[in-house]
């Protein structure tokens, strides 16, 4: 805030003038000095605070946009990875089903062949 910038520039001179003051007393004195300072003296600090606030607002807007884009990119990457994994699992399951189907077909064929075979059990 404008007051903080003002107190930062005046704190050392206040402590030099009266080194026995505690930090709380210095802060109270600085607050009174700010309140009693002419508007012309405050104007520079207020303008400085306004400029810093505008810079902050601009920079935070850019940061938020970048952060949002970064989050979206990370989410997209995770989703792509998950979809590829699901597709790979589906492909592996399809291969297993095909192998089971092949095995079942072979087993059925063997069973049919055994049923139709003419075995002589009397020999």
């Amino acid at each position: 805030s404008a007051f903080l910038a003002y107190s930062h520039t005046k704190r050392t001179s206040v402590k030099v003038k009266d080194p026995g003051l505690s930090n709380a007393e210095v802060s109270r004195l600085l607050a009174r000095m700010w309140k009693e300072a002419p508007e012309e003296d405050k104007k520079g600090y207020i303008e400085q605070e306004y400029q810093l606030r505008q810079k902050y607002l601009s920079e935070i807007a850019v940061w938020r946009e970048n952060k949002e884009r970064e989050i979206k990119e990370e989410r997209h990457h995770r989703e792509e990875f998950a979809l590829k994994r699901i597709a790979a699992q589906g492909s592996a399951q399809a291969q297993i089903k095909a192998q089971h189907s092949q095995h079942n077909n072979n087993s059925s064929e063997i069973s049919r062949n055994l049923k139709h075979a003419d075995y002589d059990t009397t020999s």
Side-chain angles (χ1 to χ4, degrees):
S1 74
F3 167 71
L4 290 177
Y6 173 83
S7 65
H8 180 71
T9 60
K10 302 289 184 180
R11 184 172 294 275
T12 303
S13 64
V14 168
K15 291 207 59 114
V16 167
K17 286 180 185 173
D18 197 347
L21 293 176
S22 69
N23 283 331
E25 291 169 326
V26 170
S27 293
R28 279 193 290 275
L29 180 58
L30 288 167
R32 187 171 56 239
M33 289 170 59
W34 173 255
K35 187 175 182 179
E36 294 171 357
E39 287 303 313
E40 198 59 37
D41 290 351
K42 292 180 182 181
K43 190 176 182 178
Y45 295 103
I46 293 170
E47 181 62 30
Q48 179 185 9
E49 187 272 334
Y50 176 80
Q51 294 299 324
L52 288 172
R53 184 178 304 270
Q54 295 309 308
K55 181 181 176 189
Y56 165 78
L57 292 174
S58 173
E59 289 175 354
I60 197 69
V62 169
W63 178 84
R64 284 183 178 141
E65 287 175 19
N66 290 338
K67 191 66 174 173
E68 189 174 315
R69 183 174 35 258
E70 181 182 310
I71 289 169
K72 284 180 181 179
E73 288 173 0
E74 287 175 10
R75 183 179 298 130
H76 178 73
H77 176 71
R78 286 192 310 268
E79 288 172 355
E80 287 292 318
F81 179 77
L83 290 173
K84 287 178 182 176
R85 217 156 158 201
I86 290 168
Q89 287 174 347
S91 176
Q93 288 175 349
Q95 288 175 354
I96 290 170
K97 283 181 182 179
Q99 289 172 353
H100 282 254
S101 177
Q102 178 86 20
H103 176 73
N104 289 341
N105 288 342
N106 290 344
S107 295
S108 296
E109 189 175 324
I110 291 170
S111 293
R112 276 192 304 265
N113 288 341
L114 289 175
K115 285 179 185 177
H116 296 300
D118 190 37
Y119 288 100
D120 186 5
T121 55
T122 57
S123 341

